[in-house]
Amino acid sequence: MAAAHAAPALQRVDLPPLPSGVVLRAHWLPAEGGDRRPAVLALHGCGGLYAKGGGLAERYRETTERLHAAGYAVLMPDSFGSRGLRDVCQTRYRDRSMNVAQRVQDARAALAWLAAQPQVDTRSIGVLGWSNGATTALNLLEQRRAHPEPGEPAIAGAAVFYPGCGPLAKRQAALETVPLLMLLGALDDWTPAQPCVEFARSLQARGGGDDITVQVYEGSYHGFDGTTPVRLRADVPNGTSSQGVHQGGNPEARAKSLAALDVFWSRVLTTRTAP
């Protein structure tokens, strides 16, 4: 029997200090090969990057391995741990010490760091986010459109799992025009799908969403791409019910969403060879 392949080894890196003085720590996995390769900036959810045992949570470990196997570099900033936090899921939105605006600044700093790496194809950088990280990704596109910074690398595409779209839809946010993939759960009672569906339609109607794909998976709750059974989390106060929120995987939706994600990256993250 052939030996199993070892998981790729992530490197811990410190990004240059933010204007606030925070040193953003991140996990970095360069792609194999000597040429410039596409890269994905991956933004964790409100639970942070880590499992209870201290290692990367299954979702992020699996994602890193999947992207690396496809030939992409991966950067995962640790927005929470860099500020002494573990997670914020159990804290009401208004009481959180770490907000989406701060995470957008983290993402912009991480993109700048990625663009400075000699092995990264700066024309082929994607952004991926889950839940709070997905909301951050959408707000990143809004801020980059409203307040572009000189020399910022282009974003080749953004993929988001179950973001919170309510505030974006309410203010009719305008986003930087990039290919966008939204992966949503029809039964999500934490970050409901409908505001994202309506927001995507609004973007398209306003001429800012020619390349938006929205997938809503039936029978699926928040975290449908995971492998844990669905459970009621009475400790989370930010859903549509005072009883809590449901979270857990749906095997069919998991398989379909990961396949859709693979197709999306293969379309938008294309390494361009020099003539």
Side-chain angles (χ1 to χ4, degrees):
M1 181 181 295
H5 292 290
L10 287 159
Q11 304 171 21
R12 290 289 297 269
V13 296
D14 289 342
L15 277 58
L18 298 167
S20 63
V22 170
V23 175
L24 186 63
R25 299 194 301 267
H27 294 277
W28 165 237
L29 184 62
E32 294 180 352
D35 55 341
R36 289 180 176 267
R37 300 294 301 167
V40 175
L41 171 63
L43 305 174
H44 62 73
C46 70
L49 273 175
Y50 306 106
K52 289 183 178 180
L56 276 183
E58 180 185 39
R59 174 176 284 107
Y60 307 125
R61 184 177 68 251
E62 176 188 74
T63 296
T64 300
E65 293 173 1
R66 194 180 188 96
L67 291 170
H68 186 259
Y72 310 137
V74 187
L75 181 68
M76 288 188 170
D78 181 9
S79 286
F80 294 170
S82 300
R83 293 174 171 86
L85 301 171
R86 178 175 178 83
D87 68 72
V88 299
C89 297
Q90 297 164 307
T91 306
R92 292 185 182 279
Y93 292 136
R94 63 175 178 269
D95 297 330
R96 290 180 178 178
S97 61
M98 175 80 201
N99 58 39
V100 167
Q102 290 169 289
R103 294 205 66 192
V104 168
Q105 292 307 308
D106 289 359
R108 295 185 92 154
L111 285 170
W113 187 90
L114 268 177
Q117 305 312 302
Q119 63 269 62
V120 170
D121 181 353
T122 58
R123 301 163 298 177
S124 203
I125 297 175
V127 177
L128 170 63
W130 298 263
S131 194
N132 185 268
T135 305
T136 298
L138 295 178
N139 279 265
L140 169 68
L141 297 179
E142 181 187 26
Q143 288 301 310
R144 279 173 53 106
R145 174 164 179 156
H147 306 289
E149 295 179 0
E152 274 194 311
I155 293 176
V160 291
F161 282 90
Y162 33 85
C165 295
L168 290 160
K170 186 175 181 179
R171 64 176 178 263
Q172 292 194 312
L175 306 187
E176 180 179 8
T177 304
V178 303
L180 177 60
L181 174 65
M182 289 188 178
L183 302 165
L184 314 170
L187 301 181
D188 197 321
D189 53 6
W190 190 343
T191 52
Q194 193 57 34
C196 290
V197 173
E198 293 172 359
F199 180 51
R201 288 173 181 164
S202 172
L203 286 172
Q204 291 166 333
R206 289 180 278 140
D210 292 339
D211 192 348
I212 297 178
T213 303
V214 179
Q215 299 282 1
V216 181
Y217 297 100
E218 296 300 321
S220 299
Y221 291 99
H222 202 85
F224 59 78
D225 57 314
T227 58
T228 58
V230 174
R231 64 187 177 104
L232 175 65
R233 290 194 58 180
D235 60 327
V236 175
N238 298 310
T240 60
S241 168
S242 61
Q243 303 303 310
V245 302
H246 292 84
Q247 182 179 14
N250 177 324
E252 182 178 357
R254 169 182 160 83
K256 289 182 176 179
S257 63
L258 293 179
L261 192 60
D262 289 344
V263 170
F264 180 75
W265 292 136
S266 68
R267 177 168 69 88
V268 303
L269 299 182
T270 303
T271 300
R272 298 161 178 83
T273 55

